[in-house]
Amino acid sequence: MVVLHVKRGDESQFLLQAPGSTELEALTAQVTRVYNGRLKVQRLCAEMEDLAEHGVFLPPNMQGLTDEQVQELKLRDEWGEKCVPSGGAVFKKDDIGRRNGQAPNEKMKQVLKKTVEEAKAIVSKKQVEAGVFVTMEMVKDALDQLRGAVMIVYPMGLPPYDPIRMEFENKEDLSGTQAALEVIQESEAQLWWAAKELRRTKKLSDYVGRNEKTKIIVKIQQRGQGAPAREPIISSEEHKQLMLFYHRRQEELKKLEENDDDSCLNSPWADNTALKRHFHGVKDIKWRPR
């Protein structure tokens, strides 16, 4: 199996493995789905952390308003009245004004937070360092865990406009957000390796050969962005270690030179007076030919 270290720009994303005979059309789709799936898990985790702290999303027409404005406009959070967390709510105001402040109790909060941490670990970039291959099945497992935790805490469900519910139903609206810039449409995705685009009409082996033990760094990006920057010959960590080695070597050579000078001046067989005068720039020493 060929090992693919997938990056976006210079940032590591995940490890994936595939046979060299894999069609690049299918491989590009697979990489893109895992990439976008991980982003979905990360978005859900961020929103569920807010859910644990401040309760469900307010209706769009109530977000950002003060209590006085809500009363003056006679607005009502009907879904918030229905979506009460298991075990009752604890009021914790959302200063941003996105959520209704009816937070789950401590026990239910921990259910959400523990599940969030477990899901984060599944799709973490640290999996690259650990040598763990991330699959779409793992991403789906993380999503299922998150969905299950929400159902435990909110058995009646969430409001239809809550971003968590919209993410689970694949109805999320990311327009105008930073998250929208991160997502890559499957039909527009490109894979690059060694400054070459991996054409969808070919196989992986057409580029990397028939060695199934090959490991390559693949970069994913949106079509039309041009070739990504090539990988440096040595990594930043290797460069750091190399500079440290040269610095230590220079210090060692400097000490050796100082020791040589001292031994030369203090040598019992040397004419110390002449040597010292010479090293202090004295020029009146006369040499006589034999």
Side-chain angles (χ1 to χ4, degrees):
M1 300 286 274
V2 178
V3 174
L4 289 81
H5 178 175
V6 180
K7 287 188 173 185
R8 178 79 190 270
D10 294 327
E11 193 171 358
S12 293
Q13 300 295 320
F14 57 92
L15 295 178
L16 185 144
Q17 57 182 354
S21 58
T22 305
E23 300 282 349
L24 282 166
E25 178 71 36
L27 182 60
T28 303
Q30 181 184 1
V31 171
T32 309
R33 287 169 192 164
V34 173
Y35 171 79
N36 287 334
R38 290 175 62 258
L39 293 178
K40 178 184 277 288
V41 171
Q42 291 165 6
R43 292 194 302 269
L44 274 165
C45 286
E47 289 293 350
M48 285 177 62
E49 288 174 340
D50 288 345
L51 177 69
E53 292 295 333
H54 303 293
V56 301
F57 227 57
L58 283 166
N61 63 343
M62 292 179 63
Q63 291 181 25
L65 299 181
T66 63
D67 294 339
E68 293 75 17
Q69 290 173 322
V70 171
Q71 292 177 1
E72 183 180 344
L73 296 171
K74 299 179 179 179
L75 300 176
R76 182 182 172 189
D77 182 8
E78 297 182 2
W79 276 98
E81 295 172 3
K82 301 176 186 177
C83 301
V84 180
S86 297
V90 178
F91 184 73
K92 189 172 182 181
K93 184 178 177 61
D94 181 7
D95 294 330
I96 302 177
R98 295 171 72 239
R99 296 183 174 273
N100 68 1
Q102 299 299 318
N105 62 31
E106 188 60 30
K107 182 179 179 181
M108 293 295 102
K109 180 189 294 187
Q110 291 307 315
V111 169
L112 292 173
K113 290 197 168 185
K114 182 180 178 181
T115 307
V116 163
E117 291 305 314
E118 291 173 352
K120 281 183 177 180
I122 292 174
V123 301
S124 172
K125 294 173 183 176
K126 292 181 180 179
Q127 297 281 47
V128 174
E129 300 171 10
V132 176
F133 300 107
V134 178
T135 64
M136 199 60 211
E137 287 70 27
M138 293 170 64
V139 173
K140 289 178 179 177
D141 183 51
L143 292 172
D144 288 341
Q145 289 184 33
L146 295 172
R147 184 182 289 105
V150 172
M151 290 177 66
I152 290 172
V153 181
Y154 290 91
M156 74 300 296
L158 298 175
Y161 46 78
D162 193 297
I164 296 173
R165 176 171 169 177
M166 295 176 73
E167 286 280 4
F168 284 138
E169 296 176 351
N170 295 319
K171 297 178 180 178
E172 66 271 20
D173 181 10
L174 304 179
S175 56
T177 67
Q178 178 63 32
L181 302 177
E182 297 174 346
V183 174
I184 298 177
Q185 297 300 320
E186 192 173 311
S187 60
E188 295 296 313
Q190 288 180 321
L191 298 182
W192 291 75
W193 170 64
K196 299 176 184 177
E197 181 189 351
L198 304 185
R199 301 283 181 181
R200 291 183 179 229
T201 55
K202 295 188 176 184
K203 294 182 179 180
L204 183 58
S205 59
D206 292 334
Y207 292 93
V208 302
R210 298 184 180 278
N211 184 357
E212 291 289 327
K213 295 183 179 180
T214 302
K215 181 176 181 179
I216 63 175
I217 295 177
V218 170
K219 295 194 174 184
I220 182 173
Q221 65 180 40
Q222 193 90 7
R223 186 178 302 279
Q225 294 180 337
R230 296 194 66 163
E231 284 292 300
I233 297 175
I234 61 174
S235 67
S236 58
E237 182 61 29
E238 290 171 334
H239 180 265
K240 187 188 300 182
Q241 293 299 323
L242 191 61
M243 295 303 293
L244 184 61
F245 168 79
Y246 280 124
H247 175 72
R248 288 174 177 170
R249 185 61 179 158
Q250 286 177 341
E251 291 297 314
E252 291 173 359
L253 291 173
K254 184 177 179 182
K255 288 180 180 179
L256 286 173
E257 290 177 358
E258 292 174 353
N259 291 337
D260 286 345
D261 290 345
D262 291 341
S263 63
C264 185
L265 290 171
N266 298 319
S267 173
W269 51 263
D271 183 350
N272 289 345
T273 302
L275 283 171
K276 289 177 180 177
R277 290 171 67 189
H278 173 73
F279 277 100
H280 283 84
V282 178
K283 301 179 180 179
D284 59 355
I285 297 177
K286 295 182 181 180
W287 299 93
R288 295 179 181 180
R290 292 182 180 181

